[in-house]
Amino acid sequence: MINIIPKPVELVKKHGKFLLNNSCVISGKFTDTQKYLNDLLEEYLGFKLSVDRLGGIKFNKNKEFKDEEYELTITPHQIKIVASSDTGAFYAIQTLRQLAKLDTHKGEKEIVIPCLYIHDYPRFAYRGFMLDCSRHFSSVAMIKRQLDMMALLKLNRFHWHFTDDQGWRIEIKKYPKLAQVGSIREKVALNLVGYYEGKEPYDNHEYGRGKYYTQEEAKEIVDYAARLHITVVPEIEMPGHLVAAIASYPEISCKGEATSVWSRYGVSKTIGCCGGDALYKFIYDIIDELVKIFPGPYFHIGGDEVPKDAWKVCPKCQAKIKELGLKCENDLQGYFNNQVLAYLNKKGKTMVAWNEAIEASNLDGNTLIQYWIGKVSENGVLGWLEKGNNIVITSHDHLYMNHLYSQKDLPIFYSVDLETVGIDPKYENQIIGIEAPVWTEYIRNRRKMEFNLYPRLMAISEINWTKKDLKDYNDFEKRVIDFGPMLDAHDIIYPPKYIFNPKNKIDAKIAYKQFSDDPNREVAKYMKHIGLVWINDNDEWM
């Protein structure tokens, strides 16, 4: 049985097999991808192949193909890859890697690959995974590990959320206190028991000292991702979710008063001041440094969950609203967003924002909106599409990977399409892709992270890549189970079917209570079941 994730557009099985060993020779175009293939072979099989004009593993160029399109033909005597670019050729190698189950053959001298023909290309251009490194920090090695898995699954956008109320985790040379002060919070919340009464439990240990990325480390991740044909999308939250920055530089807030990095999770009323000049200069200076590190076309500004209480009583904000003739505080945020957008556009960047940004009546249509919350018929998303603007789908109700499987099982992830979230199929050309986030409030180590990511990222891969009429959950689930040894090869602990697709579904309210009481219940129970010790430790990332 041939199992590939994501499912290709066209696959025809052929008779026979190709034997891959150190006598094979590479030839043709796309030298970067040839080198990548040889690096893989050296890592897993211990040898590299020679390169010659008449090699049996051929890379051919077809200028008529789209950038990510490829053909893969395997006969008993030849592997032929056809693409228009290194990107398409790279995806052909990922398909070949899965066909051969290369990662599972560590140290073997020869592997067998089935003969077939594949013609393949993606449905959506933006195939995303978001990692929150503010609430809990991921090491550079941990991020590279996930980038490797993204590449294997043909995901190509890494949305890096490294600032929030609970921690600032990117070095800004002009504002050193962001890393020195903004990275550290007093304690870490353990669960949601008593949250709404302000009585949730904490571990009462300081978190975050030294846990930030230097600019050199950020460049290292960007370069590593680029080799895997992954674009990094940086996110700096503004003007809300900015408490860590305000704790470092209080002058960017309305009152300018000293505060601490927030240990609570949720939405803080401490936000940046859009009435004065300090916040604008602060943001522009940060953009100036970050655009030198992140060469991709996108820059995310957050823009979600911005309570306007402070602006309603801030003389500077009220004066700015009056000066500009704005209707309300929402339009002040719209003005702020437009100023940042204009600045980013001068730097050659497209601004991305969460969908609350369109609550402003004056938001520039050049913004790429990321839909995460609310009904699209009520929150302005449909109106945004009707104007001809674009969005990325990141539905909270379907795609949040920090939740328990009892809340969001694998069929829920796989079900996502335009109609699932209330969008008419006529807008498909304005949906540039689908992204799934993992928020790390209650994810403190690698075991929990990867347990929540896999096999969900496989579903994100397929709903982004595979044509809608080829999707079939039952078939997908069989391929997920077959993929298990590839995850085993990387020491990834992942849930079995009875967890990721339980027969007995539970009520959503009960599932939420389970999460609130113990967000680690599934991973802890499963690790105990397989004879491993679960430790809810902040620093066990590798």
Side-chain angles (χ1 to χ4, degrees), residues 83-204:
S84 66
S85 70
D86 265 296
T87 305
F90 178 83
Y91 289 141
I93 294 302
Q94 300 310 321
T95 296
L96 184 64
R97 182 178 168 189
Q98 288 193 33
L99 282 169
K101 289 188 168 58
L102 178 63
D103 307 40
T104 69
H105 292 287
K106 190 81 171 176
E108 296 183 22
K109 299 303 181 185
E110 183 173 78
I111 53 178
V112 177
I113 304 173
C115 293
L116 49 65
Y117 167 80
I118 288 175
H119 179 215
D120 205 10
Y121 51 86
R123 179 183 178 190
F124 294 118
Y126 187 115
R127 305 181 297 279
F129 162 53
M130 192 218 82
L131 176 60
D132 167 18
C133 293
S134 169
R135 279 54 177 258
H136 283 98
F137 179 82
S138 289
S139 67
V140 170
M142 175 68 174
I143 291 174
K144 287 181 177 180
R145 181 178 169 88
Q146 306 317 318
L147 290 171
D148 286 334
M149 295 305 296
M150 286 180 67
L152 179 59
L153 295 169
K154 303 185 179 78
L155 296 168
N156 67 348
R157 298 289 184 266
F158 174 56
H159 175 176
W160 197 2
H161 182 95
F162 44 48
T163 74
D164 218 299
D165 294 323
Q166 294 78 20
W168 186 284
R169 313 234 173 263
I170 183 72
E171 176 191 25
I172 303 297
K173 295 185 184 296
K174 191 165 185 176
Y175 299 101
K177 287 192 288 185
L178 287 171
Q180 296 164 1
V181 176
S183 64
I184 305 164
R185 65 182 184 266
E186 181 184 350
K187 54 190 177 181
V188 176
L190 298 175
N191 57 49
L192 285 160
V193 175
Y195 177 84
Y196 296 102
E197 295 78 39
K199 297 178 180 179
E200 68 273 25
Y202 290 83
D203 68 0
N204 295 315

Side-chain angles (χ1 to χ4, degrees), residues 178-324:
L178 287 171
Q180 296 164 1
V181 176
S183 64
I184 305 164
R185 65 182 184 266
E186 181 184 350
K187 54 190 177 181
V188 176
L190 298 175
N191 57 49
L192 285 160
V193 175
Y195 177 84
Y196 296 102
E197 295 78 39
K199 297 178 180 179
E200 68 273 25
Y202 290 83
D203 68 0
N204 295 315
H205 294 294
E206 177 194 277
Y207 180 81
R209 189 173 297 274
K211 293 184 183 297
Y212 64 90
Y213 306 96
T214 66
Q215 293 194 2
E216 287 306 309
E217 287 173 326
K219 290 175 186 175
E220 180 183 344
I221 287 171
V222 168
D223 291 345
Y224 191 87
R227 186 168 182 247
L228 301 174
H229 298 269
I230 294 170
T231 299
V232 181
V233 181
E235 181 182 359
I236 300 292
E237 280 272 15
M238 60 183 88
H241 286 290
L242 208 54
V243 176
I246 293 169
S248 309
Y249 296 93
E251 62 269 25
I252 65 173
S253 66
C254 289
K255 291 185 177 181
E257 295 176 348
T259 189
S260 299
V261 178
W262 216 32
S263 293
R264 265 206 118 199
Y265 298 137
V267 181
S268 172
K269 292 183 179 180
T270 300
I271 65 173
C273 180
C274 290
D277 297 330
L279 179 63
Y280 295 83
K281 183 180 186 305
F282 176 79
I283 294 300
Y284 298 158
D285 289 342
I286 289 169
I287 289 172
D288 287 344
E289 292 195 26
L290 293 184
V291 294
K292 296 174 184 177
I293 300 169
F294 297 96
Y298 302 108
F299 194 106
H300 206 303
I301 68 156
D304 60 312
E305 297 178 327
V306 185
K308 311 297 194 299
D309 305 60
W311 292 358
K312 291 177 181 178
V313 295
C314 172
K316 289 183 289 186
C317 289
Q318 290 304 307
K320 180 65 75 172
I321 290 171
K322 185 176 181 181
E323 172 196 338
L324 298 172

Side-chain angles (χ1 to χ4, degrees), residues 190-193 402-408 442-445 447-449 451-452 456 493 495-496 498-499 502 504 506-530 532-536:
L190 298 175
N191 57 49
L192 285 160
V193 175
N402 41 294
H403 291 161
L404 297 172
Y405 285 93
S406 62
Q407 294 174 277
K408 292 180 176 64
Y442 305 106
I443 297 179
R444 297 160 62 127
N445 57 54
R447 292 303 193 195
K448 170 74 178 291
M449 169 83 78
F451 188 87
N452 279 36
R456 285 163 166 164
I493 291 180
Y498 73 82
I499 293 177
N504 299 317
I506 63 174
D507 180 78
K509 290 182 179 179
I510 296 174
Y512 178 74
K513 188 174 187 311
Q514 288 181 345
F515 175 79
S516 300
D517 292 349
D518 182 7
N520 303 308
R521 57 182 287 122
E522 289 175 344
V523 65
K525 185 176 181 180
Y526 182 66
M527 284 185 66
K528 182 178 179 181
H529 174 71
I530 61 174
L532 295 176
V533 177
W534 163 253
I535 302 174
N536 192 26

